[in-house]
Amino acid sequence: NPGPSIASNIMTTANPNAPLRQELPGPARSVVVLTLIYIFLVGVSSLESGIKVMGADTQEQLFSNVNNPLAGLFVGILGTVLVQSSSASTSVIVGLVASQALGVEQAVPMIMGANIGTTVTNTLVSLGHLRSSVEFKRAFAAATVHDFFNFFAVALLLPLELATGIISSIATGISGTLVGSSGSEWKSPIKASVKAPVGWIESMWETLGLTGNVLGVFMVLCGLVIVLLALTFITKNMRRLVADRVERTLNAVLGKGAGFVAMFVGLVITIAVQSSSITTSILIPLTAAGVLTLRNAYPVTLGANVGTTITALLASLATGSTDSLTIALVHTTFNVVGILLLYVIPFARDLPIRSAEFLAEQAVVRRQWAIAYVVILFIAIPALGVAFLR
């Protein structure tokens, strides 16, 4: 029974200097979180409105390079790596779809790319164990098993989606059942509640003399800043709000190796802290220390993949657009189908694990390979792909 050794490492992994004790009472911090969620929704709506103000011609010029599905995939990877948050990048994509700057078909590869891009955080965390060969091997394998799951899922599902449209069809069917047909708008109470603040933002820029495309650009930038800052503070406050519960849950479940239970725990914790990167990154030092095995940590990352899609779903509620809800559901559907194909099927379950273990063995022998892996896979290839695939 690892007991306190797990509890003492969990919440400090994402931020070693963060206090474990709440500085605000629970109810007060809950109010702060709800306020931040509202501000986040205002940011998404501002982004959508800014894109609409910029007009169809500007939209076409800005996003003409994502007509190629591979370019869209690389945009999703690179954008998520740059902001270090799939929640932020998928929320932006939801806003772009709501404004009709992107179609659902164009946005699907970008959503898949965001799923890959978000794994860079825990891979970077694993590099902190470079000095110890044994710890680094375990840590790098625990980090890259998340990478390989997403690589394999995209390799299987992107061609299938391009050929049949199955992922977007499932998502369209669900959104149609919930709110109506694709392309329509539905009366979202959340959209109505954020309308006034977005109007204030627009009026503020107009008072400063901004009009047309310039006004649209500033509204988009303002929306992006609001989204990124709100998500940062939501994650920070949620982590402190649920810190004790996270510790107790992980202590009780992860050491037992309960596959689907551990997956559910990963999902719940990610929804609670609003960050899959935190959920997956806290597993790295535990696996490096030998407290958890790779096979026990693996299902938690899959649950985190599904849990992180809640942010895009929440963002879609601020738009009132059926298409934006559809693309948010694409994110969820992609991850659920990926689990069905790569975890539920027994012979496929070992593919990401064995791939991660093999790569970790090579990286221990040649440490520079680990750094090259991060730079090439997450930055160089996506950047070149965006530059040349137009």
Side-chain angles (χ1 to χ4, degrees), residues 328-348:
L329 287 167
V330 163
H331 196 194
T332 306
T333 304
F334 167 73
N335 282 295
V336 171
V337 174
I339 290 171
L340 293 176
L341 293 177
L342 293 171
Y343 188 82
V344 175
I345 299 176
F347 74 85

Side-chain angles (χ1 to χ4, degrees), residues 16 132 171 194 199 206 215 217 242-243 256 265 331 353 371:
S132 169
V194 300
E206 287 177 338
L215 172 62
V217 168
V242 302
K256 298 179 181 179
V265 169
H331 196 194
I353 294 174
I371 298 172

Side-chain angles (χ1 to χ4, degrees), residues 29-367:
R29 196 174 293 280
S30 298
V31 172
V32 170
V33 169
L34 290 174
T35 303
L36 287 167
I37 289 174
Y38 178 77
I39 293 171
F40 161 74
L41 295 173
V42 170
V44 173
S45 187
S46 175
L47 189 151
E48 176 197 358
S49 298
I51 291 290
K52 287 183 176 178
V53 168
M54 291 165 68
D57 292 340
T58 303
Q59 294 168 15
E60 185 177 350
Q61 291 175 8
L62 284 173
F63 301 105
S64 61
N65 66 324
V66 295
N67 287 324
N68 185 309
L70 285 179
L73 178 72
F74 292 137
V75 165
I77 295 172
L78 195 60
T80 305
V81 168
L82 291 175
V83 299
Q84 287 285 287
S85 171
S86 64
S87 296
S89 60
T90 54
S91 297
V92 170
I93 293 168
V94 165
L96 295 175
V97 171
S99 68
Q100 299 182 346
L102 284 176
V104 171
E105 184 178 340
Q106 291 174 298
V108 169
M110 296 174 69
I111 288 288
M112 294 185 181
N115 235 54
I116 292 176
T118 194
T119 66
V120 72
T121 304
N122 50 298
T123 306
L124 291 173
V125 169
S126 71
L127 299 180
H129 297 271
L130 274 169
R131 293 183 179 180
S132 169
S133 296
V134 174
E135 288 188 7
F136 175 62
K137 181 178 178 180
R138 294 170 180 162
F140 197 65
T144 55
V145 73
H146 193 193
D147 303 352
F148 279 109
F149 172 82
N150 285 329
F151 291 152
F152 289 141
V154 169
L156 287 172
L157 294 178
L158 180 56
L160 187 63
E161 167 66 18
L162 295 177
T164 67
I166 185 169
I167 301 296
S168 55
S169 295
I170 293 172
T172 300
I174 297 172
S175 64
T177 301
L178 292 175
V179 298
S181 61
S182 177
S184 64
E185 289 197 0
W186 53 287
K187 293 183 179 180
S188 168
I190 292 180
K191 181 178 182 179
S193 71
V194 300
K195 183 177 180 180
V198 173
W200 300 337
I201 293 172
E202 185 172 358
S203 297
M204 177 189 71
W205 293 121
E206 287 177 338
T207 302
L208 295 175
L210 303 184
T211 58
N213 285 345
V214 177
L215 172 62
V217 168
F218 273 81
M219 287 192 68
V220 168
L221 292 175
C222 191
L224 287 172
V225 170
I226 292 172
V227 165
L228 293 173
L229 288 177
L231 281 174
T232 298
F233 285 106
I234 288 170
T235 299
K236 178 180 178 181
N237 281 278
M238 286 300 292
R239 185 172 64 237
R240 294 181 181 179
L241 187 63
V242 302
D244 293 337
R245 297 182 183 89
V246 169
E247 291 177 4
R248 289 196 297 270
T249 302
L250 286 173
N251 273 329
V253 175
L254 297 190
K256 298 179 181 179
F260 286 101
V261 175
M263 195 181 298
F264 179 73
V265 169
L267 182 150
V268 171
I269 291 175
T270 301
I271 292 175
V273 299
Q274 287 289 290
S275 173
S276 61
S277 296
I278 288 179
T279 306
T280 54
S281 294
I282 62 180
L283 300 175
I284 304 305
L286 302 181
T287 309
V291 174
L292 291 177
T293 67
L294 178 59
R295 291 179 182 275
N296 288 350
Y298 175 44
V300 183
T301 67
L302 305 187
N305 263 8
V306 178
T308 196
T309 67
I310 190 67
T311 309
L313 290 169
L314 184 63
S316 71
L317 299 181
T319 68
S321 162
T322 303
D323 282 347
S324 68
L325 178 59
T326 297
I327 199 62
L329 287 167
V330 163
H331 196 194
T332 306
T333 304
F334 167 73
N335 282 295
V336 171
V337 174
I339 290 171
L340 293 176
L341 293 177
L342 293 171
Y343 188 82
V344 175
I345 299 176
F347 74 85
R349 186 178 304 172
D350 284 344
L351 290 177
I353 294 174
R354 290 179 179 176
S355 300
E357 289 175 337
F358 174 78
L359 183 61
E361 289 173 359
Q362 306 308 310
V364 167
V365 177
R366 300 174 181 84
R367 306 295 174 91

